[in-house]
Amino acid sequence: MEDCIFCKIIDGSIPSNKAYEDDKIVAFHDLEPQAPVHVLVIPKQHICCADKIDESNADVIAHIFTKIPEIAKSLGLTNGYRIVTNCGKEGCQSVYHIHFHLMGGKQLNGRMA
Ligand code: DGP
């Protein structure tokens, strides 16, 4: 997708610090980390947001969630972590390529909104 920052990270035209990659997904460290460990897990397929998850793309979303435990372990998140996806304007989504924030490495705040 033209003009999508995360599609450019996938194709390598924007550099990133990758934590995991396979044929369907990439995980890379967030540019503005909000926790000691903060990576974004994204599908290589461009899906704009959680509101566009449907039967046609559910397999790659499921794949992300089956890989998150492995990615979390590889980053040393052995005592838990948080997975967040912001969706749309009121959800404060700033990059419209679906991504799951995987955060941890400290005791996280109990409040989420
Ligand atoms: P959200 O607000 O949920 O759409 O989160 C977008 C996240 O993407 C935000 O935490 C900062 C991160 N981000 C934006 N641009 C880049 C980039 O070029 N590289 C990396 N690594 N992260 C980025």
Side-chain angles (χ1 to χ4, degrees), residues 30-88:
D30 196 292
L31 207 55
E32 298 159 13
Q34 296 186 39
V37 174
H38 185 171
V39 301
L40 303 173
V41 191
I42 69 171
K44 290 188 171 177
Q45 174 185 353
H46 183 90
I47 302 166
C48 78
C49 56
D51 198 49
K52 298 297 180 194
I53 297 171
D54 60 24
E55 290 298 331
S56 74
N57 55 36
D59 56 339
V60 74
I61 302 299
H63 183 67
I64 283 174
F65 279 85
T66 62
K67 287 295 171 184
I68 279 176
E70 176 184 331
I71 296 166
K73 277 190 194 69
S74 76
L75 295 167
L77 301 178
T78 53
N79 289 316
Y81 46 84
R82 179 169 292 156
I83 303 162
V84 172
T85 188
N86 294 327
C87 180

